[in-house]
Structure formats: C-alpha cells, structure tokens
Amino acid sequence: MGISKKETELLLLKLRNKFNDYAKEYSSKWFNIKDFEERLELAKRNKMNLEGFILAEIANLEKIKEKFGSQKEENSFTQLVDKKIEENVERINKYPEIRFHPLAGYEISRFYGAISQFAVCYFPVLWLLVKGDLRERLHQLEETFRYLAVPRGSKPSKRIDDHILVLIRKNVPEIEVEKDRNEYLKESAFLLHQVVQLLEQLLANRDSEWENPLTFEKLFIEGDNKRIIINNFSGLTGYGAMLMMKDIALQIINDFRLGAFKKKGSSAYNRMR
C-alpha cells in the first residue's frame, strides 16, 4: 500500500528543506531547488509514482551530500569544485535543454538538446551537397542520428528511450545509470567525429558548385524544420555551409569534453544493426 497524499506532501516539504539546507552549507549549484521543482512538476505531469520519485531524489541528495561532507572544511577545494562546475554549466548552457525524464541528469539533457538540434536543423543540408557514393555514407549517418538523437513525435529518440528504461529500473545502482549515460555520450561523440571527418573529406575534394549560394528547392523537408534550416544557411555557399557545420559539431564535442571519443571504422549505426 502506497503512502497517503498527506505523507507525500510531508516528504516533499522535508526534501525541499534539505535542498535549501545543503545549498547553504555546500553549493547552491549542486543542490538547486529550482531544478528539483522542475523535475517534480514533470513527474506530476507524467503521472509518475511520486513515492518512487521522492525516494530516488532523497537517495541522490544524500549521495551528493556524502561526497561533499568530508570536504566541507576544505574551502579552497570547494571553491575550485564550484568554479569547475560553473565553467562547465556556462559551456553547455547555450544549448537547448530537453528534459526527457525527471531523473535525467542536467548534462545529458543539454547534450540531447544539442545533438537533436544539430541532427534536425543542420545535418539535412548535406543532402544538397553530397554526391555519388558518399550519399550512402550520409544515409548511414542520418540513420544513426535518428537512433541517437531525433525525437519521434512527442517521444524521445530510441536510444534515449533505452536510457529512460535504465533510469526507472527498480533499485538500479547509480553506477549503472552513469555507465549508460556515458555510453550514450560516447556513441554520440563517435557520430559527431564521423560527421566532422566527412565534412573534411568533402572540403578536401572540392567542387565548383559549392562556390555558389545554396538553394533549397531540393531540400525535401516540410514545416518548421525546413524554415529553420533555410534561416540557418541562407546566404551561405556550399563551402560556407560545410564550414559552419564543422564548427558547430566541433563546438559540441569541445563543450561536452568528448574530444577523446574518436573512432575510425564502423559507425554507431553499423554496430547496432
């Protein structure tokens, strides 16, 4: 038998008090009450089991508290940690946040927003530029984006759906959640590096047609996404479009510190088939 509504409200009040207390004692960036309220609101909208949500939040809160508890007297170290966190947040804050589940971490929510935006609003323009045998490679990359990053209507991508299954698994150890989160970041980093490699190959091959301004008649996409793509690339030549895409992909890789995840050979799409 679940807890009553009154007991739920009492637990939520205690949880809010803990957030406020820990924010004052440790770091308001790590113990952010606003983020908690957003996760709670999302949980209510999705009609999640609030008892499970509260227990997960309490467990996570105590783990973070333990991490900082032994260091509370080391002010210089705490300040350094806060500075690093703040720098990381500033780097990724410019990307759209897609909070696909109340228990999803801040970094993966921002990364999913970043790679989804790239997949939907930038990558398709390559169909206007790539010719010949390289179109098959482009198709494979596009399929990988669909699996990793492209929302399916109101649902997240298939790979993010798989991560949600890990998040909601009963009594799942935090290390398992972290392992799957890191695996998602790694798979996506491989993909972004492959896009950069393709762009570098195209730029090295050269084509006189790419010196002309882009036209969008053959961009077979409808609705708002097409308008966004046209706005992003309007006035650019083919070379300009490819250089901009390369810069954006590299910026995502650098901002999320994924430079080490570069792999030659098969794509993530080929590995999952």
Side-chain angles (χ1 to χ4, degrees):
M1 183 176 179
I3 61 176
S4 67
K5 182 177 180 181
K6 184 176 180 180
E7 289 171 325
T8 298
E9 292 301 323
L10 181 60
L11 284 173
L12 286 173
L13 176 61
K14 290 182 177 180
L15 195 51
R16 289 186 179 99
N17 289 339
K18 279 184 176 289
F19 266 100
N20 289 324
D21 290 343
Y22 292 168
K24 292 176 183 177
E25 185 174 357
Y26 301 108
S27 167
S28 60
K29 296 179 182 66
W30 283 83
F31 300 97
N32 191 315
I33 187 66
K34 182 180 177 182
D35 286 350
F36 165 73
E37 296 293 354
E38 289 177 357
R39 292 194 297 272
L40 175 60
E41 182 61 29
L42 185 56
K44 289 179 178 179
R45 285 202 305 269
N46 291 337
K47 295 182 170 54
M48 284 183 60
N49 182 309
L50 287 185
E51 181 179 357
F53 170 80
I54 292 169
L55 291 175
E57 287 285 337
I58 291 173
N60 186 54
L61 196 63
E62 290 304 316
K63 285 178 183 177
I64 298 174
K65 183 221 172 188
E66 288 174 10
K67 183 176 180 180
F68 280 90
S70 61
Q71 303 167 351
K72 63 183 179 180
E73 299 300 328
E74 301 175 17
N75 292 329
S76 61
F77 180 78
T78 301
Q79 289 170 1
L80 178 61
V81 169
D82 284 347
K83 182 179 179 181
K84 292 295 184 183
I85 294 169
E86 186 175 348
E87 289 173 353
N88 185 52
V89 168
E90 286 177 358
R91 279 199 305 270
I92 67 177
N93 245 351
K94 59 178 173 283
Y95 298 104
E97 179 181 14
I98 300 180
R99 185 62 69 87
F100 52 86
H101 191 275
L103 298 179
Y106 179 78
E107 183 179 30
I108 193 173
S109 299
R110 287 285 179 180
F111 181 77
Y112 179 48
I115 195 171
S116 294
Q117 184 182 62
F118 184 83
V120 173
C121 301
Y122 293 92
F123 184 79
V125 83
L126 283 178
W127 286 109
L128 301 176
L129 302 168
V130 174
K131 302 175 184 178
D133 294 341
L134 284 177
R135 289 179 73 85
E136 175 58 28
R137 184 175 171 191
L138 187 63
H139 175 72
Q140 290 183 353
L141 293 173
E142 184 176 69
E143 287 299 301
T144 313
F145 272 119
R146 290 187 188 279
Y147 170 67
L148 291 173
V150 178
R152 300 166 294 164
S154 60
K155 297 180 64 177
S157 70
K158 176 63 171 64
R159 180 61 180 84
I160 287 294
D161 244 356
D162 291 343
H163 184 62
I164 292 173
L165 292 178
V166 177
L167 289 174
I168 64 177
R169 190 185 305 157
K170 187 175 181 180
N171 299 323
V172 60
E174 178 60 28
I175 192 172
E176 289 298 319
V177 175
E178 184 175 354
K179 179 180 178 182
D180 191 66
R181 178 175 61 244
N182 291 341
E183 187 64 27
Y184 175 74
L185 293 173
K186 183 174 72 173
E187 291 171 5
S188 302
F190 288 155
L191 175 58
L192 288 172
H193 278 295
Q194 288 169 346
V195 171
V196 171
Q197 289 168 357
L198 173 61
L199 289 166
E200 289 175 343
Q201 181 178 346
L202 292 171
L203 290 165
N205 288 344
R206 306 192 65 81
D207 188 318
S208 59
E209 292 185 14
W210 298 339
E211 297 174 5
N212 300 320
L214 282 174
T215 59
F216 302 94
E217 293 83 2
K218 295 183 180 180
L219 183 64
F220 301 118
I221 297 173
E222 301 299 329
D224 291 340
N225 289 339
K226 184 171 184 177
R227 286 191 289 272
I228 293 170
I229 291 171
I230 292 174
N231 183 64
N232 286 340
F233 293 99
S234 181
L236 293 180
T237 65
Y239 283 117
M242 287 187 286
L243 287 170
M244 183 173 78
M245 289 183 65
K246 180 183 173 183
D247 286 345
I248 293 171
L250 288 174
Q251 190 68 56
I252 295 172
I253 290 169
N254 292 333
D255 286 340
F256 288 91
R257 297 168 298 173
L258 300 172
F261 297 112
K262 186 176 182 180
K263 183 177 181 180
K264 295 181 180 180
S266 62
S267 68
Y269 171 68
N270 289 330
R271 293 197 306 278
M272 74 183 181
R273 294 183 70 179

